[in-house]
């Protein structure tokens, strides 16, 4: 459902503005860049988009997932490959071996968490946390901002993005009904 809601550019721009504290008003400036089947299996990233030289990857998680930095590394690699191919379709191989610097969009990784496990309002996951041999200054780092959107958390963010707030209210209703009904009926009652 998260992917469906935020595939709409107007909703996505509202979320972008809330996350970044900005006030952009033209959703047509967003370029949605979803990855389907991003990791060999039938796995898809939720929402990725290009906006003002920033490539944002937004994921929604209802369970705690310490592997998000690794997943995002795979996603961003595929996004950059696609970006290079689109920027220089006639000479893709030559463009990255050129003596001139190829500029790429700045990445931003955000996970919106609304699982049942208690988590802080905001925290960061790092790719280096997964390294078998920890080092002080890793040669490769990727940081993911995790934002808890459960009831009572990040109220300022939810106030800034009405559609995200409504999504959270919907999820909370499903959870409430799930205590007494099957998942199908809980979803139906929450929608009603």
């Amino acid at each position: 459902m998260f992917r469906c809601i935020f595939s709409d550019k107007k909703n996505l721009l509202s979320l972008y503005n809330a996350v970044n504290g900005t006030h952009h008003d033209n959703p047509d400036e967003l370029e949605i860049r979803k990855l389907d089947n991003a990791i060999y299996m039938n796995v898809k990233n939720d929402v990725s988009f290009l906006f003002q030289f920033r490539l944002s990857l937004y994921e929604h998680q209802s369970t705690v997932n310490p592997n998000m930095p690794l997943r995002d590394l795979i996603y961003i690699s595929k996004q950059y490959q696609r970006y290079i191919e689109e920027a220089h379709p006639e000479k893709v191989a030559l463009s990255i071996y050129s003596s001139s610097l190829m500029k790429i969009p700045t990445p931003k990784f955000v996970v919106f968490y609304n699982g049942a496990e208690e988590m802080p309002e905001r925290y960061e996951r790092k790719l280096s946390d997964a390294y078998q041999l920890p080092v002080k200054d890793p040669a490769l780092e990727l940081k993911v901002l995790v934002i808890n959107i459960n009831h009572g958390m990040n109220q300022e963010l939810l106030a800034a993005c009405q559609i995200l707030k409504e999504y959270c209210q919907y999820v909370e209703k499903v959870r409430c009904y799930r205590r007494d009904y099957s998942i199908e009926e809980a979803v139906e009652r929450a929608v009603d």
Side-chain angles (χ1 to χ4, degrees), residues 94-149:
L94 297 177
S95 59
I96 61 172
Y97 295 104
S98 159
S99 60
S100 57
L101 180 64
M102 176 180 285
K103 295 287 192 170
I104 56 176
T106 303
K108 182 161 186 170
F109 308 98
V110 180
V111 170
F112 298 92
Y113 170 76
N114 74 336
E117 192 174 328
E118 285 196 34
M119 299 301 287
E121 276 202 327
R122 289 176 182 243
Y123 61 98
E124 190 176 71
R125 293 246 183 234
K126 296 180 187 177
L127 181 64
S128 62
D129 292 337
Y131 292 164
Q132 290 181 344
L133 178 62
V135 293
K136 184 177 179 180
D137 185 21
L140 176 64
E141 185 64 275
L142 188 148
K143 299 174 183 178
V144 178
L145 172 63
V146 181
I147 302 173
N148 189 337
I149 57 172

Side-chain angles (χ1 to χ4, degrees), residues 80-90 92:
Y80 281 149
Q81 180 179 5
R82 184 172 143 202
Y83 181 82
I84 292 166
E85 289 169 356
E86 290 171 359
H88 304 283
E90 68 288 341
V92 172

Side-chain angles (χ1 to χ4, degrees), residues 1 6 8 26 33 42 45 64 68 77 91 107 110 146 159:
M1 180 171 273
F6 293 106
D8 177 279
N26 185 358
R33 301 178 61 85
N42 198 18
N45 79 308
V64 174
M68 281 311 304
S77 296
K91 49 185 175 183
V110 180
V146 181

